[in-house]
Amino acid sequence: GDSVTQMEGPVTLSEEAFLTINCTYTATGYPSLFWYVQYPGEGLQLLLKATKADDKGSNKGFEATYRKETTSFHLEKGSVQVSDSAVYFCALSLIGTASKLTFGTGTRLQVTL
Amino acid sequence: DAGITQSPRHKVTETGTPVTLRCHQTENHRYMYWYRQDPGHGLRLIHYSYGVKDTDKGEVSDGYSVSRSKTEDFLLTLESATSSQTSVYFCAISEPDVSYEQYFGPGTRLTVT
């Protein structure tokens, strides 16, 4: 079946450090890929998305590129802030599946001063 | 923010009692979803709806039922709650004709003692 694998956390970084959170997927079709972010005590918010190979999603300084050859969608940010501390979820959705999302287990990011 | 509310936001109940969680949207989106979030599992789909009175099972549907009598409301019922159903429950909505994105509610924390 379809699945998403994320690096385990927590990831602890100092402010202004470079962030990478790895995400790889397996899918029976051609998925759309997403990163969602969950701040403490809140629901999930869409951070960025990509719908086809080589697309780059970007938002709030975060970027991820859809790599079909490596089945990956790694999240990156050049300089993290304390306010980026949250749980990040990678997810996929397949056409014709009612937009159902398959999530990774989430990666907690802690950014310290 | 998408207009999605969930009620109650917190609930403690005893094993064997029935529980109903409500999701209400003001966006007129066709699709609605119920997920549960557990440590180490990310979010997993319980049930979803693709229209009034049209529902289908997700990957963890055992012990849960849903109903959708109006576009704006999607109810999740635990007929006889068990401790394994202690979790945080999220509702989400989407309109696939417009985009693949799902918008999430704030969540309901359910504890079954």
Side-chain angles (χ1 to χ4, degrees):
Chain A
D2 305 323
S3 66
V4 175
T5 302
Q6 289 181 238
M7 60 189 291
E8 296 224 1
V11 173
T12 303
L13 295 173
S14 299
E15 200 169 47
E16 299 184 0
F18 185 86
L19 168 70
T20 299
I21 300 178
N22 290 336
C23 171
T24 58
Y25 68 89
T26 58
T28 52
Y30 198 155
S32 293
L33 300 173
F34 306 85
W35 277 101
Y36 280 83
V37 59
Q38 183 180 31
Y39 298 103
E42 298 184 10
L44 278 70
Q45 303 173 24
L46 179 66
L47 181 59
L48 52 84
K49 67 179 180 182
T51 58
K52 60 181 187 295
D54 300 325
D55 267 2
K56 177 184 283 188
S58 61
N59 186 25
K60 298 181 182 179
F62 291 89
E63 293 182 340
T65 300
Y66 189 144
R67 300 288 187 199
K68 190 166 185 281
E69 64 276 14
T70 54
T71 62
S72 65
F73 193 54
H74 304 321
L75 182 68
E76 296 181 336
K77 187 176 186 184
S79 177
V80 294
Q81 305 300 310
V82 172
S83 57
D84 294 326
S85 297
V87 181
Y88 293 82
F89 292 93
C90 186
L92 67 82
S93 178
L94 289 167
I95 294 173
T97 63
S99 297
K100 290 182 288 183
L101 288 168
T102 298
F103 284 91
T105 54
T107 302
R108 181 175 299 278
L109 171 65
Q110 295 176 321
V111 182
T112 59
L113 290 171
Chain B
D1 291 342
I4 311 169
T5 56
Q6 293 184 230
S7 58
R9 294 293 313 279
H10 301 272
K11 186 170 183 66
V12 179
T13 192
E14 293 184 350
T15 298
T17 59
V19 176
T20 296
L21 309 182
R22 179 180 184 241
C23 177
H24 179 78
Q25 60 143 331
T26 58
E27 304 298 319
N28 203 37
H29 281 18
R30 267 187 309 144
Y31 284 70
M32 299 184 76
Y33 311 81
W34 277 108
Y35 293 90
R36 59 178 289 174
Q37 182 179 21
D38 303 290
H41 291 279
L43 277 79
R44 292 177 292 175
L45 182 65
I46 304 171
H47 281 280
Y48 69 99
S49 169
Y50 47 96
V52 173
K53 292 186 171 38
D54 293 321
T55 65
D56 205 349
K57 296 178 180 179
E59 65 173 299
V60 291
S61 59
D62 286 349
Y64 301 95
S65 62
V66 291
S67 65
R68 191 169 178 199
S69 59
K70 298 185 289 185
T71 298
E72 57 267 34
D73 290 326
F74 192 33
L75 303 181
L76 177 70
T77 297
L78 291 65
E79 301 290 347
S80 177
T82 68
S83 58
S84 64
Q85 293 176 311
T86 293
S87 186
V88 181
Y89 292 85
F90 287 99
C91 174
I93 64 174
S94 75
E95 186 50 72
D97 287 347
V98 176
S99 80
Y100 297 111
E101 297 175 29
Q102 289 189 20
Y103 301 92
F104 284 79
T108 294
R109 181 173 297 275
L110 176 67
T111 302
V112 183
T113 61

